[in-house]
Every structure is written in C-alpha cells, then in structure tokens.
Amino acid sequence: MEIEKVGIVGCGLMGSGIAELSARSGYSTMVSEASAEFLDKGLAALGSSLSKGVARHKLTEADRDAALGRIKGTTNLADLKDCDLVIEAIVEDMEIKKKVFAQLDEVCTEGALLATNTSCLSIIEMAMATRRPGQVLGIHFFNPAPVMKLAELVKTIATSDETIETARAFAESLGK
C-alpha cells in the first residue's frame, strides 16, 4: 500500500507538528479538530512554524507556500474518509480515543491504516474499538515532530506485517 493522503486528528502541539511534517514531505494532509476555534488556533501555529522555518533559512518561501497548499482543515471526522493513513494525536484519554477510533473505522476506507501518537496508552485497546485491528498501530513522533529525527513504530499483537512495513516506509519518507 502506498500512502498519498494523510489525516491528522487533533491540531494541538503534536498534531500540528505531524501535519506540518506530512505536508512538507509532499503529502496531501487533512487536519481534524473538535471545534473551529481549536482548528484555527492549530493551523495558525502550523503557519507560524513554517514561517519560522523560512526565517531560519530551513525552507524557502515557495516550500512553505507549497506545504500550506497541501493542508486542509475540518471539524468533521467524515472528511478523513479518503485518507490512506490517519494519525490520532488528541488528549490522552482512552475512552475518547476509543470513540475516535470507532468513528474513523466507520468513515475511512477499508484499506486505510489507523495510528495513534500516544506513548503511554494501550494501542491494542484502541485497535479493538475497530473492525480492523490488523491495520492499527502506534506511530509515536517526538516533540517537536518537524525537527526530531525519530519516530517510534509500535506493533500490537494484532498489527499486520504489511501495516508495519507501510508505516515504516511512510516514516522514512518523512526523514525519520
């Protein structure tokens, strides 16, 4: 499977950083947030981060503008339906995460991979909220995601080898 479109659930510190990294790496990126207020705040932080990259000569204005052109925001999880990979980066509350995974399972295409950025909660528990536990994994980015060179892939007992290999290729395409 090849990843072309990435969805990010949550546009806080980690979600906006993962979205920036994804868009800078050439992926069409859809960011979902619970409210328009949170979405606007997250997208503003993302734009500011990209502009700081220009000011620090880490990327060109054209690269910044291209990345911004690849990012779209939404407050409706159903807008992530066409994503090949969705990475959840919301509050560390298992019940909320399981609800999000169940919703993503309903709206995303059958082949889509679902990931969480958590480093401390049970990924298999989130996976069991779906009908696709073999396509659920952890992709833990370190903060700040656009800068840190490491991403940790977490396989559960149910995660397929194909899911891990697809996620590894994705992480490597981000420079991780």
Side-chain angles (χ1 to χ4, degrees), residues 2-3 5 20 26-27 37 59 85 93 95 116 124 127 133 150 152 170 175:
E2 187 173 329
I3 304 297
K5 187 171 183 182
E20 176 185 339
Y27 293 97
E37 177 186 354
L59 71 156
L85 168 66
D93 180 308
E95 293 310 310
T116 179
I124 191 67
L150 185 62
E152 176 184 37
F170 171 72

Side-chain angles (χ1 to χ4, degrees), residues 76-121:
N76 185 352
L77 276 181
D79 291 336
L80 302 177
K81 68 181 181 275
D82 296 327
C83 292
D84 303 304
L85 168 66
V86 178
I87 303 168
E88 168 276 315
I90 62 171
V91 64
E92 293 293 290
D93 180 308
M94 181 59 80
E95 293 310 310
I96 295 172
K97 287 181 184 290
K98 287 191 317 187
K99 286 179 187 173
V100 166
F101 272 82
Q103 289 174 310
L104 290 170
D105 190 47
E106 289 296 320
V107 301
C108 292
T109 61
E110 190 176 302
L113 303 184
L114 306 179
T116 179
N117 186 58
T118 193
S119 62
C120 61
L121 296 178

Side-chain angles (χ1 to χ4, degrees), residues 1 3 7 21 29-30 36 38 66 89 103 109 116 118 122 131-132 141-142 147 150 156 159 176:
M1 171 184 192
I3 304 297
L21 180 60
T29 305
M30 176 70 72
F38 290 148
Q103 289 174 310
T109 61
T116 179
T118 193
S122 170
R131 294 178 309 244
R132 62 177 91 196
F141 291 87
F142 292 79
V147 176
L150 185 62
T156 73
T159 307
K176 306 294 181 194

Side-chain angles (χ1 to χ4, degrees), residues 17-29:
I18 297 166
E20 176 185 339
L21 180 60
S22 175
R24 282 179 63 176
S25 298
Y27 293 97
S28 174
T29 305

